[in-house]
């Protein structure tokens, strides 16, 4: 109860300080304060605390006629539903809840005309399906999102759908398909005048794209430079510095490499920003130090991203460590088979679950049809009985 009183007090305080705050969403200032509070409470276990803040956002948005703020109310609801759906033990119920809120949010975004949040809802729900090992569903949603965006010629939707599909392919270590969609995202980014897109960070996509090309190639160098040009955040800086470290090692400039490497290793967010970076550096160090093949094999088994494996293989060739290059070449083939097997199993499990759910729904539909038919027969029987009774009574009266 005390916690809810604090939330209510903070909401009242928001009214006093609203106009003094920075408001990047370009919505009513008071709505923005309520929105910030609702966003902060999305993962809170108390439904009451979140509801107080988010309902205050909706009420204020309706009072001042702020349609964008009203849309953000439903975006917050979707985020909250998806946040707890991931933890549900009943995946069927969780999916139904997620899909239901997703449809409400996209419908509101279409009604208000804020298409950015229509596509944002797609990115949120596909992320839920990826995190719950339902990659077929995620890919279907992203393809649907891309088709809608292409049909409407909506640059934001085209940009976002290509980014997220590329990430899905990267998870599957499918470098060529990842590159295709990343290049499409770059094309949109470079040619758009959409202010929402232009103010976004694009470093991650450029860094990832550089990793799909042969190490040291003109294309790889071009996109590493582009990654640096578009850096906005601390994570962006880590990415382009890591790119510089990789190129310095490949160009046989150890002093530069160690400087860039040490910069990255001092940042405790490195692994969360760039998956696998902590396993990449020891392999590079071992090649530069001309370490024994056995030592490098042990380090190599910890490398998980295919682009990183290909980089180390290329680096080994550059340093004439053909034993290391051969080992990594074999390791890449083994992981290709493993990824294919894993992905096949994931898809088979998901397809089986979908078929079981469909069969269950068909069974329930059949049961419902049977119940409906029985009620129809009961109704017909009642009508016929009524007619017979009326006929008998009529005959008796006539007699």
């Amino acid at each position: 109860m005390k916690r809810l009183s604090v939330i209510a007090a903070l909401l009242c305080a928001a009214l006093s300080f609203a106009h003094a705050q920075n408001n990047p969403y370009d919505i009513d200032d008071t709505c923005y304060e309520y929105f910030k509070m609702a966003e902060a409470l999305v993962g809170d276990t108390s439904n009451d605390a979140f509801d107080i803040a988010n309902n205050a956002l909706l009420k204020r948005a309706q009072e001042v006629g702020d349609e964008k703020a009203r849309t953000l109310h439903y975006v917050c609801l979707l985020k909250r539903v998806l946040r707890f759906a991931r933890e549900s033990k009943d995946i069927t119920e969780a999916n139904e809840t997620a899909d239901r809120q997703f449809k409400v949010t996209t419908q509101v975004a279409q009604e208000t005309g804020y298409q950015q949040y229509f596509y944002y809802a797609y990115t949120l729900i596909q992320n839920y399906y990826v995190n719950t090992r339902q990659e077929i569903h995620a890919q279907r949603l992203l393809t649907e999102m891309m088709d809608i965006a292409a049909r409407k010629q909506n640059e934001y939707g085209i940009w976002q759908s290509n980014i997220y599909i590329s990430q899905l392919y990267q998870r599957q270590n499918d470098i060529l398909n990842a590159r295709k969609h990343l290049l499409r995202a770059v094309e949109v980014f470079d040619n758009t005048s959409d202010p929402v897109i232009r103010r976004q960070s694009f470093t991650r996509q450029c860094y990832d794209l550089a990793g799909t090309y042969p190490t040291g190639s003109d294309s790889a160098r071009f996109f590493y430079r582009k990654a640096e040009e578009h850096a906005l955040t601390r994570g962006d800086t880590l990415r382009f510095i890591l790119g510089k470290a990789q190129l310095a090692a490949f160009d046989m400039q150890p002093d530069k490499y160690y400087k860039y490497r040490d910069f990255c290793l001092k940042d405790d967010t490195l692994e969360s920003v760039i998956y696998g970076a902590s396993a990449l550096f020891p392999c590079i160090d071992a090649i530069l130090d001309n370490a024994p093949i056995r030592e490098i094999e042990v380090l190599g088994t910890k490398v998980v991203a295919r682009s990183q494996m290909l980089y180390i293989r290329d680096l080994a060739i550059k340093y004439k460590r053909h034993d290391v290059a051969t080992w990594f070449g074999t390791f890449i083939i083994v992981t290709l088979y493993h990824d294919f097997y894993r992905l096949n199993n994931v898809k088979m499990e998901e397809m089986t679950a979908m078929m079981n759910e469909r069969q269950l729904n068909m069974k329930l539909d059949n049961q419902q049809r049977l119940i409906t038919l029985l009620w129809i027969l009961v109704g017909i029987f009642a009508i016929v009985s009524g007619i017979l009774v009326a006929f008998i009574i009529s005959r008796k009266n006539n007699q």
Side-chain angles (χ1 to χ4, degrees), residues 185-331:
V186 167
E187 181 186 1
V188 173
F189 187 88
D190 284 345
N191 294 291
T192 188
S193 58
D194 185 329
V196 176
I197 298 176
R198 295 304 305 174
R199 65 171 170 255
Q200 301 298 316
S201 165
F202 202 52
T203 293
R204 175 179 176 178
Q205 286 70 45
C206 294
Y207 172 82
D208 290 346
L209 191 49
T212 68
Y213 288 99
T215 306
S217 66
D218 290 342
S219 294
R221 293 177 190 277
F222 173 80
F223 286 112
Y224 278 136
R225 287 195 300 271
K226 201 174 182 69
E228 183 174 2
E229 290 170 7
H230 292 284
L232 297 175
T233 66
R234 177 183 176 184
D236 291 343
T237 301
L238 272 177
R239 285 191 177 91
F240 79 73
I241 292 294
L242 176 56
K244 285 188 171 185
Q246 290 176 256
L247 284 177
F250 187 80
D251 291 339
M252 296 185 170
Q253 298 175 330
D255 291 343
K256 282 188 176 181
Y257 163 71
Y258 290 124
K259 181 181 74 172
Y260 296 138
R261 180 203 65 177
D262 292 345
F263 178 92
C264 292
L265 291 175
K266 285 178 184 176
D267 196 310
D268 56 8
T269 66
L270 176 64
E271 186 62 25
S272 62
V273 172
I274 307 160
Y275 182 54
S278 58
L280 179 63
F281 283 128
C283 286
I284 298 174
D285 291 348
I287 292 173
L288 267 60
D289 294 339
N290 199 30
I293 181 65
R294 296 298 178 195
E295 180 182 329
I296 297 176
E297 286 176 3
V298 173
L299 296 170
T301 57
K302 298 176 184 178
V303 179
V304 290
R306 182 143 307 120
S307 59
Q308 293 172 352
M309 296 176 197
L310 291 167
Y311 167 79
I312 297 169
R313 184 204 62 188
D314 293 346
L315 187 68
I317 293 172
K318 186 71 179 281
Y319 281 78
K320 301 189 186 306
R321 286 298 305 269
H322 300 296
D323 53 344
V324 176
T326 301
W327 185 87
F328 264 96
T330 305
F331 185 52

Side-chain angles (χ1 to χ4, degrees), residues 26 42 57 60 80 90 166 180 198 202 249:
D26 194 26
V42 160
L57 167 62
R60 173 66 180 180
R80 183 164 177 82
D90 188 336
S166 74
K180 179 179 73 174
R198 295 304 305 174
F202 202 52

